[in-house]
Amino acid sequence: MTVSIPRLKRAARIILIGAPGVGKGTQTERLLARFPQLASISSGDLLRENVRLRTPLGIQAETIIQSGNLVPDSMILDLISSELWKRGWLSTSHRSSSTDGTKSNSSPSPQNPVPAPQSPAKISPDASFILDGFPRTLSQALSLDSLVPINFAVHLVTPPSVILSRIAKRWVHEPSGRVYNTDFNAPKVPGRDDVTGEPLTQRSDDSTGTWYQRYHKFEETSRDLVAHYADKGCLSRIEGNSSDEITPRLFKAIEERFC
Ligand SMILES: *[C@@H]1O[C@H](CO)[C@@H](O)[C@H](O)[C@H]1NC(C)=O
């Protein structure tokens, strides 16, 4: 069977917004497989990578993390900016004509040779990506807009009761990351990994109470985020009770918008 590969006609800069457990990771993987032009840019991966490679930003971030603090938004933005420059997706040669009055005369600090996110820059039309992990709040979205505006935000919606029953059926083999589901992908021997025979676990933070806490926090912070992208006219709400239900709707929405 041959499947034609849909080509994006213009740059897609996508974020997926969804409650914990809605399956953003699954949808991201499927999007990357479906649209080869898409890359995944994960703020968490960038952070870990920079710490590992001991880049100036990584060293700064590590110090902050070790002192028990959260890496500030500005630093995450610098990481993303740095990655986009590295990929050649940002360049100063095309100066944006934006007149939004944001300051643009701050020179890069010695610790951060990467041009500051405020410097007007234009993203290449070939640069299509799903941004993972950022922005999670309205203020993060606003600062991202001044660097590289998202042009498609997808709000994935599954009823909490459905997510919770799915979580209860999920078993993980921690060392390999293999995931089982007692409904449709059960291990051959209950509670045991198919490959190694080692015991499977259920993440303790998957417990209902913890999930609700994270869900309420998500609902609280995502409200303004969703409204922001709705205002900009680039929000799509996609509902479904399973990843398999959501995927074709997501593909269709992206094809309609970018292909
Ligand atoms: C999705 O789940 C909800 C809650 O269990 C149910 O009411 C609804 O009918 C389901 N929708 C589909 C399409 O299965």
Side-chain angles (χ1 to χ4, degrees):
M1 189 177 76
T2 56
V3 178
S4 69
I5 296 168
R7 274 199 72 77
L8 305 173
K9 291 209 179 78
R10 60 193 188 92
R13 299 182 298 271
I14 301 170
I15 58 164
L16 303 180
I17 304 169
V22 81
K24 295 191 294 289
T26 301
Q27 299 302 341
T28 298
E29 279 173 28
R30 292 175 179 179
L31 285 174
L32 296 181
R34 171 81 168 182
F35 303 96
Q37 287 160 291
L38 277 179
S40 165
I41 296 185
S42 150
S43 57
D45 287 351
L46 288 179
L47 186 59
R48 281 183 290 274
E49 180 79 350
N50 276 265
V51 169
R52 192 176 63 81
L53 295 174
R54 319 242 10 106
T55 67
L57 270 173
I59 292 169
Q60 262 181 292
E62 191 174 40
T63 310
I64 292 169
I65 295 165
Q66 281 171 349
S67 66
N69 293 304
L70 285 176
V71 178
D73 292 352
S74 61
M75 206 176 268
I76 301 291
L77 210 63
D78 282 348
L79 285 170
I80 293 169
S81 164
S82 155
E83 177 66 16
L84 297 180
W85 280 92
K86 216 169 76 187
R87 289 173 180 252
W89 289 353
L90 283 176
S91 78
T92 40
S93 56
H94 305 87
R95 291 184 74 85
S96 142
S97 58
S98 142
T99 52
D100 60 1
T102 49
K103 71 179 172 63
S104 60
N105 54 355
S106 62
S107 47
S109 70
Q111 288 86 6
N112 177 21
V114 167
Q118 293 90 343
S119 42
K122 191 171 187 279
I123 191 108
S124 146
D126 295 330
S128 287
F129 57 85
I130 307 168
L131 189 56
D132 177 19
F134 193 94
R136 291 213 168 113
T137 63
L138 175 60
S139 86
Q140 290 176 348
L142 292 171
S143 50
L144 183 67
D145 279 350
S146 68
L147 172 69
V148 46
I150 291 301
N151 60 8
F152 197 38
V154 186
H155 188 193
L156 303 176
V157 182
T158 301
S161 60
V162 175
I163 295 180
L164 276 171
S165 73
R166 206 156 69 197
I167 287 171
K169 291 167 189 155
R170 184 188 300 164
W171 291 80
V172 182
H173 178 242
E174 298 280 359
S176 67
R178 273 186 287 280
V179 178
Y180 298 86
N181 182 298
T182 51
D183 264 1
F184 53 81
N185 179 31
K188 294 190 186 99
V189 178
R192 295 278 164 181
D193 178 46
D194 286 354
V195 177
T196 64
E198 288 168 351
L200 302 174
T201 53
Q202 287 193 293
R203 293 212 325 257
S204 58
D205 65 1
D206 279 347
S207 70
T208 305
T210 315
W211 183 84
Y212 266 111
Q213 273 177 19
R214 293 172 60 212
Y215 177 71
H216 287 308
K217 185 150 183 279
F218 164 78
E219 287 281 274
E220 216 175 277
T221 55
S222 66
R223 200 171 299 131
D224 290 344
L225 191 62
V226 166
H228 172 70
Y229 290 116
D231 285 348
K232 293 184 68 172
C234 66
L235 182 82
S236 177
R237 180 186 163 97
I238 297 183
E239 296 182 37
N241 280 358
S242 68
S243 292
D244 288 349
E245 232 174 87
I246 287 174
T247 300
R249 294 171 189 165
L250 183 56
F251 285 179
K252 185 159 173 278
I254 289 178
E255 281 164 25
E256 280 171 1
R257 206 172 175 98
F258 295 102
C259 293

